[in-house]
């Protein structure tokens, strides 16, 4: 575990040198929030209106949290890196080292994600307060619960994307699978809470990754309850175990198929 | 003059054809990239179905107009990424001194440089755009206007990328700014203009020319007016001219890095 924490730390320290690049990239976050703010203001003709159990402010805070989770993740970069590692044969450099590639990817990517998460969260909260003028009612326990849930959501997301990237062992380019996954999360998980979907789709969404990587933490933030916290954390832990197992299984099977030409 | 243009177009066409042939070496990857991009774009229809179940109109657009907006945004994006892919890598090309390859060729440096490779998945965007115009209402007039607006939009998007990337001749790394502006244009172009209020709309018709790439084309296809068409064509020509001017001015400041590479 110590070596993975070292990888995490060194990645974090490296990225601290490029904070300006990260900050410039935050313009996209501000734009997305601005678009959704305008969109929901248009949909809610009256700010006190409640649609599917959500007020306008709750909807905007929901999007702020889900966008923090998605934007800080940098999933496209992670998937592309793993695909390139496999396709180019660079993965052999990692195989010979005394660590597991899945854990290496997880902790190395957590380094940059943690930094981005902290910075985007500050930005997101400031934007929320600026545009909405109020913060959701949360106790200290609630805040800690949301942070824990966000951390688990990020780890699960990284493991899912790592698994998608490792599919490159079997097909040449796994990036198209990532596009579909990212759109699923963006469209189904980021913009609307599950309650906005047709009744027959809601149970499916509840068992999908959307519930644990996007809906869960955001729902806790806008409408916190201890029961909800417990339910979401339990489902996240189950998902964490499953995704960890699948990632290792795919890696183990894939490495056996690896064929690298020396050079 | 005309022969020169004809020759340039011929060489550009061949360059794109060879780039496409390179990408088609692995047929499974080629086809899956296109299909997945179509599916990827189609996901957003879910978002609009839900939004229209909450309200009858969004930003003054009907559901069909939103379909058209998405189709046009996708088609425009596809045209810019397929035909002018390297305009989005231009900043790196300049910074790394990779322009040498194009400087020794007897054709226009900028055109050669930005058309030397293609993005296969962008074909999925183009096909998706054509599917969307079919759903909106396929008539010869609609199709021709859609294709014309998409090509103009693609040229404008690529021109903006060239203009910002060319600043690298003076200021070094500008790709972060170029990427941000491109992502800004894509994000705004997929939402109806009517949801935005205030000063932001001025930006849409100036710095971020969404008027040319998205909003005026929608009005043109929905309700044809010659003035809209003239606006789009003049706007496109203006951006192309600025792109060439800025690039050519910057090129005088370019210094090679003596990087040895071969363009296959």
């Amino acid at each position: 575990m110590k070596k993975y924490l070292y990888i995490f730390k060194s990645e974090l320290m490296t990225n601290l040198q490029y904070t300006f690049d990260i900050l410039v990239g935050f313009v996209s976050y501000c734009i997305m929030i601005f678009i959704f703010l305008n969109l929901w203001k248009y949909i809610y003709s009256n700010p006190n209106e409640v649609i599917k159990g959500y007020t306008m402010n709750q909807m905007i805070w929901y999007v702020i949290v889900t966008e923090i989770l998605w934007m800080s993740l940098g999933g496209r970069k992670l998937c592309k890196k793993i695909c390139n590692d496999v396709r180019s044969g660079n993965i052999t450099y990692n195989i010979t080292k005394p660590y597991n590639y899945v854990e290496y990817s997880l902790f190395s990517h957590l380094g940059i994600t943690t930094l981005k998460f902290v910075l985007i969260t500050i930005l997101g909260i400031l934007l929320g307060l600026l545009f909405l003028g109020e913060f959701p009612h949360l106790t200290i326990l609630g805040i800690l619960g949301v942070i824990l849930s966000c951390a688990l959501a990020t780890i699960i997301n990284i493991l899912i994307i790592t698994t998608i990237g490792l599919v490159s062992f079997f097909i040449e380019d796994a990036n198209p699978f990532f596009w579909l996954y990212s759109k699923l999360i963006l469209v189904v998980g980021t913009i609307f809470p599950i309650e906005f979907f047709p009744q027959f789709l809601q149970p499916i969404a509840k068992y999908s990754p959307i519930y644990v990587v996007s809906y869960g933490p955001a729902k806790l933030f806008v409408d916190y309850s201890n029961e909800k916290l417990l339910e979401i954390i339990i489902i996240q832990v189950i998902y964490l175990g499953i995704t960890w197992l699948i990632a290792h299984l795919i890696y183990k099977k894939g490495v056996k198929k690896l064929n690298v030409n020396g050079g | 003059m005309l022969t020169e243009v004809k020759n340039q177009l011929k060489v550009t066409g061949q360059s794109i054809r060879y780039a496409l042939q390179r990408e088609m070496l692995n047929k499974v990857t080629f086809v899956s990239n296109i299909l997945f991009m179509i599916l990827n774009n189609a996901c957003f229809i879910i978002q609009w179905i839900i939004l229209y179940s909450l309200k009858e109109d969004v930003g003054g657009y009907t559901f069909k107009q939103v379909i058209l907006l998405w189709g046009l945004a996708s088609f425009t994006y596809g045209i810019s990424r397929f035909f002018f892919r390297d305009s989005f890598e231009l900043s790196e090309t300049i910074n790394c001194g990779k322009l040498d390859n194009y400087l020794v060729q007897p054709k226009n440096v900028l055109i050669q440089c930005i058309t030397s490779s293609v993005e296969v998945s962008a074909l999925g965007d183009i096909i998706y755009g054509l599917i969307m115009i079919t759903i909106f209402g396929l008539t010869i007039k609609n199709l021709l206007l859609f294709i014309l607006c998409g090509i103009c939009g693609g040229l404008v998007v690529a021109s903006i990328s060239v203009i910002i990337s060319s600043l690298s001749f003076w200021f070094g790394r500008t790709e972060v700014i170029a990427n941000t502006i491109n992502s800004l244009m894509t994000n705004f172009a997929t939402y109806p203009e009517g949801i935005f209020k205030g000063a932001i709309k001025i930006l849409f018709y100036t710095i971020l020319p969404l008027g040319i790439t998205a909003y005026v084309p929608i009005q043109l296809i929905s309700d044809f007016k010659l003035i809209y068409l003239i606006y789009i064509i003049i706007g496109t020509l203006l951006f192309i001219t600025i792109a060439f001017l800025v690039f050519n001015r910057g090129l005088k400041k370019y210094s090679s890095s003596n990087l040895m590479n071969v363009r296959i």
Side-chain angles (χ1 to χ4, degrees), chain B:
Chain B
M1 172 76 177
L2 270 176
T3 317
E4 208 173 304
V5 173
K6 205 174 145 190
N7 281 343
Q8 181 66 61
L9 284 174
K10 204 173 159 188
V11 172
T12 307
Q14 278 178 343
S15 174
I16 292 170
R17 205 181 70 181
Y18 290 136
L20 185 62
Q21 281 173 343
R22 272 201 307 272
E23 297 293 335
M24 285 173 81
L25 282 174
N26 188 327
K27 295 235 169 10
V28 178
T29 307
F30 179 79
V31 174
S32 68
N33 267 289
I34 295 171
L35 285 179
F36 273 79
M37 186 49 78
I38 295 172
L39 280 174
N40 171 53
N41 290 339
C43 283
F44 281 100
I45 291 179
I46 303 169
Q47 172 191 338
W48 292 101
I49 290 173
I50 293 172
L51 282 172
Y52 277 92
S53 72
L54 302 173
K55 206 166 175 126
E56 276 177 11
D57 84 287
V58 179
Y61 278 36
T62 60
F63 183 68
K64 271 196 160 184
Q65 280 178 315
V66 166
I67 291 281
L68 180 63
L69 182 72
W70 270 86
L72 188 66
S74 172
F75 192 78
T76 300
Y77 185 90
I79 293 282
S80 67
R81 300 279 164 162
F82 185 76
F83 293 103
F84 312 108
R85 183 191 182 219
D86 287 335
S87 65
F88 303 94
E89 313 280 334
L90 188 60
S91 183
E92 198 202 326
T93 308
I94 295 166
N95 284 324
C96 298
K98 291 182 191 167
L99 272 180
D100 299 17
N101 272 345
Y102 308 100
L103 285 169
V104 292
Q105 289 172 12
K107 292 287 167 214
N108 185 281
V109 179
L110 177 60
I111 297 177
Q112 287 300 296
C113 175
I114 64 174
T115 57
S116 60
S117 68
V118 295
E119 192 170 313
V120 173
S121 60
L123 278 178
D125 289 311
I126 293 173
I127 295 168
Y128 180 78
L130 294 172
I131 295 170
M132 291 297 106
I133 184 68
T134 310
I135 294 172
F136 174 78
L138 188 65
T139 61
I140 292 175
K141 186 197 94 183
N142 281 355
L143 184 65
L144 289 178
L145 287 175
F146 181 83
I147 292 173
L148 176 71
C149 293
I151 293 172
C152 287
L155 285 165
V156 170
V157 172
S159 298
I160 291 172
S161 188
V162 169
I163 294 166
I164 300 165
S165 302
S166 295
L167 298 179
S168 291
F169 285 118
W170 293 277
F171 308 112
R173 295 170 65 100
T174 55
E175 64 261 42
V176 183
I177 304 168
N179 291 341
T180 307
I181 298 277
N182 283 325
S183 114
L184 264 168
M185 286 195 57
T186 312
N187 287 331
F188 278 122
T190 46
Y191 288 88
E193 186 188 5
I195 66 167
F196 304 107
K197 291 183 179 73
I200 186 79
K201 284 197 172 181
I202 300 169
L203 277 182
F204 293 165
Y205 290 89
T206 52
I207 302 168
L208 301 171
L210 289 159
I212 304 169
T213 61
Y215 300 138
V216 175
I218 298 296
Q219 290 175 43
L220 178 74
I221 297 168
S222 306
D223 175 23
F224 182 86
K225 278 185 187 145
L226 192 62
I227 189 78
Y228 294 153
L229 189 62
I230 294 170
Y231 170 79
I232 293 166
I233 292 172
I234 290 180
T236 307
L237 291 174
L238 186 72
F239 272 95
I240 294 173
T241 310
I242 297 172
F244 272 101
L245 284 176
V246 177
F247 180 82
N248 287 336
R249 178 64 67 89
L251 197 57
K252 288 175 184 158
K253 292 188 79 72
Y254 174 71
S255 54
S256 164
S257 63
N258 284 332
L259 182 74
M260 292 282 288
N261 57 4
V262 181
R263 193 179 159 219
I264 301 165

